[in-house]
């Protein structure tokens, strides 16, 4: 690995950073920036960003040496770089200042790469990583130590595969894909047929797993291959840690799946969907584009585009909130009904007496 | 690994496949079958299966070259093989046509097998796999690369252990067991005693983990050893991905546990139980035979045999559905109660006036 | 690894064990103890413990050769050791009798340790383990096979790291920490900014992950590094299997997190908190000291110290139980409201008639 991965490099001046960002700056351009920080924890030498006016008060108290602020705002206590999107600019500064953790280029002498594998150049293959027969790995891809790539796997260009990942045969991965540690790609789907003696016959899983460009998959997540046909994770999808994606699932472009969510077999998720943590989707469900599913929801039916749902069983989020608001009034209402019953009884007795 | 794992072998004719299945066929027996497919995605050369009449319409439009259909049905558009159980026959054809991914036989030169380990023959031990002292591995078992087998582990015959699996000491595995990638077997149970200073003393975990014949365990699932006594996964149990099974749990024969379910310490699950995804079982619960637990249920009490439960806290599924149906009527009812209150008030006023 | 890991050593007498525990004993001190057991499954030669009088009946039927009982109690059927805390004493006997599974001391010849890494002495580094540049590992720490330690990681003294663990750069671990198999420490947090074209820009994760002394982390759990600042797991925290801890989370001393729980970004958990299995905490929530969160709770707001909560959305546990008790009465009440409506209708008709 490089000498000082993940440590900041040499300092830059505010002027140099502004130029790199193609943004104007105000204040002393010679101020040196050594690192980045949140506003609260900034030290001398740190650059921070401040998108919203409500954080302005914290910024005034901060020890930061410079800040990135919205282009139409002013701040004269420290040097400022003025950006149309301060957060995006801040990200670019992080990429400038910090060398991410990367293994050394080349194939490590303790790696095992099949003679029949087709690996690109440049490439990094870390210690103890294994690349099976006929596997293909594209140019610029970085494979950390302890990765297992089964035979026939295809991996595109400029991907990053972290340690302890297993990628099984019939998996095809696009370009610029990031796979975090412990992820399992292309494992068997969970399918059985019950036999007469109550035991189960395994349904062989022979479909593919296709992962398109710019996908990122979090630590210890599992994505199963299809039984037949394909499991497909479309371009730009971001998946958090410990998520389960079952066989024959399809997830549309730029959808976001938060941690520990589970998507059952043959579910089709649309584009730009946002799924909160620990959500679960029953099998064969269709979820439309631009849907938001609240954390911990249990989805048991199809969801129309642009809906926002919550709860188990899931409901439109407004309905679900009303139900839970009503529940707090449930016991008072039960008491009220008992009181009304007594008043009715009394009225009935009065009427009986009146009429006698 | 073999030359073309997970790729179809040479084509067979419909007649050859029918003979292999011991089933009659109708139509051109010389039709060549190169692969299998779902009905929707079939191409020329593909065999499909069609168990239910409702898929017959799709079959008519399909490009499939042949189909397996129920023995008592007819279909003359393409050659058909007639089976008592089309899905089971289809599975057998998949096994005929596709070589599953398998490492080469023998111990890889980059594997580390203890001199005192007792390994069977034939055997496959993949690159970078580690087998500790006094471990036993039976004949015909396949160990993919990057498997860690701690000392004293016992593994039976004809098992398949995928990459990145860790099997800790005191684990004993039967025959024909399949362990998918990233599974952790025999890790410590979660047990502590609170000390006077609010910190915790660890309860040493010294029991066993027993996994019986024909069990299959999905990717990144964890099964803990017992603290004392045994954790037992009985014959034929199938466990999906990312499931947590705690110490001293016992799971009865042929039970099915779907993804991300969690079973707390000392739970006893009966035979033929089906547990949906993300279900959770509190500790020390007893679940009878043939119980069905809906996905996302939270089970906090014992369940009698043959029950079907859902919800958190769990209820009989009919009760649970009624509760949720009622909840939709809750707000209208609250309004109704308010209206009734006013009508009673009015009646009371009338009576008061009448009597004055 | 040592000759017989995880197997009991030579037998001790009751007298020897009592002396080791500094506890008095009654009965035949020469009785030989070969192992430990639960009361139910004890065989001749086993020592058991019995803290509560309600298990006394089982103890009478047990085949155990000796028992540890509370200091102020009596039992004359078998030799007894009398302890102020029988369970804690029992734990100490387990540690005396059983050699836990441990790799051999020294660096295995198939391990890969960077020249620039600073590793202590004594140390164990198992086969195929990888320690990157400038990493620091303290004296007495045990690293099982197949562990990946990225460059710049710091690990303290007397830690135990099991196989298939990945520890990424910028992670700092204290002393006496136990990390079970498959754990991922310091992986990227899940943070993106939506761009104009609906795709996402990754927010680089450059903060640290700090794990303090005496922490234990269960199999396949994932803990993310902070985006900026630090993710902190404080001293004495115990985390079960398959838990997700997101970026910038802080967990206070001696808190307990059960299996499959998920803690979202920037959550602050107090000291001595107990969290049940499959609980989920929404992002930026503050949880006070001494809080108990029931299994499967979905926490969506701050929780005051010493509270006990349950449900999704979470409520005070008494409120939650009342709501669920009410729900069972919901349908009868709906019927009652309908009956009352009819009685009111009748009363209204009577009044109308009376007044006409």
């Amino acid at each position: 690995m490089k000498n000082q991965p993940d440590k900041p490099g040499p300092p830059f001046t505010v002027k140099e950073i502004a130029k790199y960002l193609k943004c104007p700056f105000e204040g002393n351009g010679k101020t040196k920036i050594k690192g980045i920080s949140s506003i609260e924890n900034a030290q001398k030498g740190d650059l921070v960003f401040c998108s919203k006016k409500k954080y302005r008060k914290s910024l005034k108290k901060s020890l930061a040496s410079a800040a990135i602020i919205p282009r139409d705002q002013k701040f004269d206590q420290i040097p400022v770089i003025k950006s149309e999107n301060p957060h995006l600019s801040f990200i670019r500064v992080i990429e400038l200042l910090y060398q991410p953790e990367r293994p050394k280029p080349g194939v490590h002498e303790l790696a095992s790469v099949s003679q029949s594998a087709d690996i690109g150049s440049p490439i990094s293959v870390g210690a103890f990583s294994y690349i099976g027969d006929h596997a293909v790995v594209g140019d610029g891809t970085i494979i950390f130590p302890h990765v297992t790539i089964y035979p026939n796997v295809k991996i595109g260009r400029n991907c990053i595969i972290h340690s302890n990942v297993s990628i099984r045969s019939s998996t095809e991965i696009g370009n610029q894909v990031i796979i975090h540690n412990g992820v399992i790609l292309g494992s068997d789907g969970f399918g059985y047929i019950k036999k007469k003696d109550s035991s189960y016959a395994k349904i062989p899983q022979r479909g593919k797993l296709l992962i398109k460009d710019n996908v990122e998959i979090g630590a210890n997540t599992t994505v199963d291959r299809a039984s037949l046909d394909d499991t497909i994770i479309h371009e730009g999808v971001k998946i958090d840690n410990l998520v389960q994606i079952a066989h024959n699932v399809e997830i549309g472009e730029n959808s976001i799946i938060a941690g520990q969510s589970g998507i059952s077999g043959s579910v089709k998720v649309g584009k730009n969907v946002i799924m909160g943590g620990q959500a679960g989707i029953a099998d064969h469900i269709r979820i439309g584009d631009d849907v938001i599913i609240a954390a911990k929801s249990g989805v048991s039916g199809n969801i129309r585009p642009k809906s926002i749902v919550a709860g188990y069983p899931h409901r439109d989020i407004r309905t679900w909130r009303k139900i839970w608001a009503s529940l707090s009034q449930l016991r008072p209402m039960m008491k009220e009904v008992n009181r009304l019953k007594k008043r009715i009884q009394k009225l009935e007795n009065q009427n009986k007496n009146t009429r006698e």
Side-chain angles (χ1 to χ4, degrees), chain A residues 140-157:
Chain A
T141 285
I142 290 166
I143 295 172
F144 277 82
H146 278 284
V147 171
T148 309
I149 298 174
Y150 281 51
N152 298 310
V153 167
K154 287 185 183 62
I155 300 175
R157 294 184 305 279

Side-chain angles (χ1 to χ4, degrees), chain A residues 253-314:
Chain A
E253 282 174 32
N254 296 321
S255 284
I256 294 268
I257 316 283
Q260 296 181 318
S261 287
I263 303 182
S264 304
S266 302
V267 168
K268 306 296 174 204
V269 176
K271 297 177 189 177
N272 307 314
V273 169
I274 295 174
M275 203 177 293
Q278 297 184 335
I281 318 290
D283 56 297
H284 288 87
I285 298 293
R286 259 115 186 94
I287 295 172
D289 294 346
D290 305 300
V291 164
I292 297 175
I293 298 172
K296 257 190 185 301
S297 300
V299 175
S300 51
N302 295 345
I303 301 181
R304 283 183 296 187
K306 297 183 200 291
S307 309
I308 305 179
V309 302
Y312 156 58
H314 80 278

